[in-house]
Amino acid sequence: MWSSFEGGEEEAKKSVMGKFKRVCVYCGSHTGNRKIFSDAALDLGTEMVERRMDLIYGGGSFGLMGLVSRKVYDGGCHVLGVIPRALVPIDISGHAVGEVVIVSDMHERKAEMASRAEAFIALPGGYGTMEELLEVIAWAQLGIHDKPVGLLNVDGYYDCLLGLFDKGVEEGFIKPAARNIIVSAKTAKELIQKMEDYIPLHDQVAPTRSWNAMP
């Protein structure tokens, strides 16, 4: 009887787990001027814990970075922060959680995060967050990866950016199928569900296998 209960518990755990295990989250090293952004970061962390997803992020202990990393870590999931050596004294306080990998520069940081992740999510943030988001979108278009890319559009924070993507399609700079690379939603739960249902529709500039081929 006990073994039957234990087996059922294991099945329940498996059913909660998502299609991807390691999620790279891009987000601000500030919390923003409104509580709604902090709430969204905590909500994303909670959703990841419920689905037993591990976190890969930029390694900072402040702002939205700190909130989502602590929530995931406290929930028993693995947290990996990747940070350039020059930013260690700026972005990391005595409260950093999980594993921290120190790299030489920003290029190595982004490559390390992208290679370890199975999916990408961007919370509200500034230039750095947007640059990282746009890079993984461009990499998907090129065929470097075929992983889902999600945008948590908290209270319309990214409406203008999404509108710019639509303008790019309208003016002929972005193919309509490539517009579907970016998945967006207002809540973490809805976003992750959309990402799990994501199927690439665009034509890759070069197939993924050619980017991964050894010279």
Side-chain angles (χ1 to χ4, degrees):
M1 183 174 181
W2 170 255
S3 60
S4 174
F5 171 78
E6 192 174 42
E9 188 177 38
E10 284 301 314
E11 285 301 313
K13 285 181 180 178
K14 288 179 183 177
S15 68
V16 175
M17 290 179 67
K19 289 184 178 179
F20 36 85
K21 170 69 173 171
R22 299 182 303 276
V23 181
C24 176
V25 175
Y26 303 124
C27 56
S29 57
H30 299 280
T31 55
N33 293 331
R34 293 186 292 148
K35 184 174 177 289
I36 194 170
F37 300 124
S38 297
D39 290 343
L42 294 171
D43 185 46
L44 175 60
T46 298
E47 195 68 30
M48 290 177 64
V49 168
E50 289 180 357
R51 294 169 181 261
R52 310 313 300 163
M53 293 175 172
D54 295 331
L55 171 69
I56 300 165
Y57 81 118
S61 56
F62 301 109
L64 300 187
M65 280 192 192
L67 290 174
V68 71
S69 61
R70 282 191 292 274
K71 176 63 76 171
V72 173
Y73 182 80
D74 289 345
C77 296
H78 187 258
V79 173
L80 173 68
V82 183
I83 187 166
R85 189 174 306 279
L87 295 181
V88 171
I90 300 170
D91 282 350
I92 295 184
S93 71
H95 304 289
V97 297
E99 179 185 358
V100 177
V101 173
I102 299 174
V103 295
S104 59
D105 55 36
M106 293 295 288
H107 297 293
E108 187 180 353
R109 176 201 220 180
K110 291 186 292 182
E112 185 73 17
M113 292 167 69
S115 67
R116 290 176 180 252
E118 297 173 332
F120 306 92
I121 292 177
L123 280 161
Y127 291 140
T129 300
M130 295 181 202
E131 185 268 340
E132 289 169 322
L133 169 68
L134 289 170
E135 183 168 66
V136 292
I137 293 173
W139 285 2
Q141 179 178 255
L142 289 169
I144 295 173
H145 73 80
D146 58 1
K147 304 168 185 178
V149 181
L151 188 63
L152 191 52
N153 190 21
V154 181
D155 199 33
Y157 180 80
Y158 283 116
D159 281 353
C160 291
L161 182 60
L162 292 169
L164 181 61
F165 296 158
D166 292 334
K167 184 68 172 176
V169 174
E170 180 186 334
E171 298 293 351
F173 291 103
I174 299 174
K175 293 181 179 180
R179 172 63 178 84
N180 294 318
I181 291 171
I182 184 70
V183 176
S184 64
K186 295 180 179 180
T187 68
K189 187 179 186 68
E190 181 187 2
L191 181 63
I192 292 176
Q193 185 59 59
K194 282 186 173 183
M195 292 172 67
E196 290 186 334
D197 295 338
Y198 171 76
I199 298 174
L201 300 175
H202 63 285
D203 294 325
Q204 297 177 330
V205 174
T208 302
R209 64 180 179 276
S210 66
W211 292 98
N212 295 331
M214 295 294 290

